[in-house]
Amino acid sequence: MRNDLRGKVVLITGGTRGIGRAMGLAFGKLGAICALTHKWGSADENELRRSYANCGAPEPILIEADAARDQDTQTLLTTLREHHAGIDIFISNVAFADVTASPAQYTRRGLLASIEYTAWPLVAYTEKIRDIFGAPPKYVIGLSSIGPDRYIANYDMIACSKAVLETLARYLAHHYASAGTRVNVVRAGIVRTESLEATLGGQKLEAIRSDRPDAFMTTDEIAHSVVALCSGWMDAVTGQVITVDRGQAFSHGAGF
């Protein structure tokens, strides 16, 4: 695998926490310049810069931006265009939805909001990058989960929006093929993040850990899989939804 991404620009939405943070550091260790978005007040910018410095990575570009707001997207990319000629890699990592324990809690507005935050930025950012920089990224990655295929308690709305994300990625791969862009989705297995804990609750997560100690993936495992897809060695792979879960979807059967 190529281990030199110096000069490459990587844009990661939601890049300051959890899997997004791990992906940024993984790219940064290979020399990439990482632009990380976060919502207002959700990141300790000084601590994040120290973590990059400690591993010899270029200082990250930290930008407050709401992934669902077109004006924020425009401002973000216009700012990056002032200093960089292109975006080489775009990773759509933001996910948001109301926690829903039963159909009685479903709302049309909640579903549309989840799609707007979780699925639509894959299209909106890629198109806006093409408009502002004159070309789309070479690599576009969407972060999904096992939710569309396996039951996860309270996860209904996010599972729906992840399914939309996966479908859009396949179609984008077709439409951007002539530009040489590779579009793929990584379905992450169970990763203990703040968002998953908020969805399932601490007791449920502890029950999973007690019953299946090997169930949880690390954020680094997901990050390294994403880096591999953008390494140049897997350019024959596009329009794919790739599950990264150590094979647990097969060996452990039903959901949780």
Side-chain angles (χ1 to χ4, degrees):
M1 176 177 163
R2 296 177 186 175
N3 60 2
D4 187 355
L5 293 177
R6 285 176 291 183
K8 302 298 184 183
V9 179
V10 182
L11 172 60
I12 307 173
T13 59
T16 61
R17 289 179 164 184
I19 296 172
R21 178 189 176 103
M23 289 189 294
L25 287 168
F27 279 108
K29 289 175 184 177
L30 298 179
I33 301 166
C34 295
L36 315 174
T37 74
H38 63 95
K39 292 191 73 173
W40 295 268
S42 64
D44 184 337
E45 295 191 359
N46 291 330
E47 187 279 328
L48 196 62
R49 289 190 177 94
R50 284 194 299 271
S51 69
Y52 274 70
N54 289 341
C55 66
E59 182 174 337
I61 303 166
L62 306 177
I63 305 170
E64 293 181 338
D66 188 324
R69 289 186 59 185
D70 291 340
Q71 185 56 53
D72 282 12
T73 303
Q74 177 76 33
T75 300
L76 159 68
L77 295 176
T78 300
T79 300
L80 290 176
R81 182 67 182 86
E82 295 173 359
H83 303 283
H84 302 283
I87 302 295
D88 299 285
I89 299 167
F90 167 56
I91 301 172
S92 186
N93 176 57
V94 171
F96 168 82
D98 293 331
V99 173
T100 51
S102 74
Q105 296 176 318
Y106 291 2
T107 66
R108 181 185 303 169
R109 179 175 294 180
L111 175 60
L112 295 177
S114 180
I115 292 172
E116 186 175 34
Y117 272 96
T118 306
W120 186 245
L122 187 79
V123 176
Y125 271 76
T126 304
E127 280 287 282
K128 189 59 70 174
I129 289 169
R130 182 173 67 170
D131 291 345
I132 291 176
F133 290 90
K138 182 172 182 180
Y139 301 102
V140 175
I141 304 288
L143 264 292
S144 187
S145 69
I146 58 176
D149 275 358
R150 298 173 62 191
Y151 176 76
I152 302 175
N154 307 327
Y155 202 74
D156 310 37
M157 293 296 105
I158 290 188
C160 290
S161 58
K162 293 293 191 184
V164 173
L165 170 76
E166 293 176 5
T167 302
L168 287 172
R170 291 187 178 102
Y171 278 85
L172 285 179
H174 170 77
H175 291 301
Y176 282 112
S178 61
T181 296
R182 280 76 175 175
V183 185
N184 291 291
V185 170
V186 169
R187 270 190 181 183
I190 311 171
V191 182
R192 185 156 192 167
T193 60
E194 291 179 21
S195 60
L196 184 63
E197 186 158 355
T199 301
L200 291 181
Q203 284 188 320
K204 180 65 174 178
L205 285 178
E206 285 303 314
I208 295 170
R209 187 183 62 80
S210 177
D211 183 52
R212 289 164 46 190
D214 63 340
F216 292 97
M217 305 288 295
T218 68
T219 55
D220 284 343
E221 287 175 309
I222 308 304
H224 294 159
S225 300
V226 171
V227 171
L229 283 168
C230 304
S231 68
W233 286 95
M234 298 182 69
D235 282 1
V237 180
T238 188
Q240 303 302 310
V241 177
I242 299 169
T243 301
V244 179
D245 70 346
R246 301 195 208 108
Q248 293 190 53
F250 172 77
S251 59
H252 288 285
F256 58 94

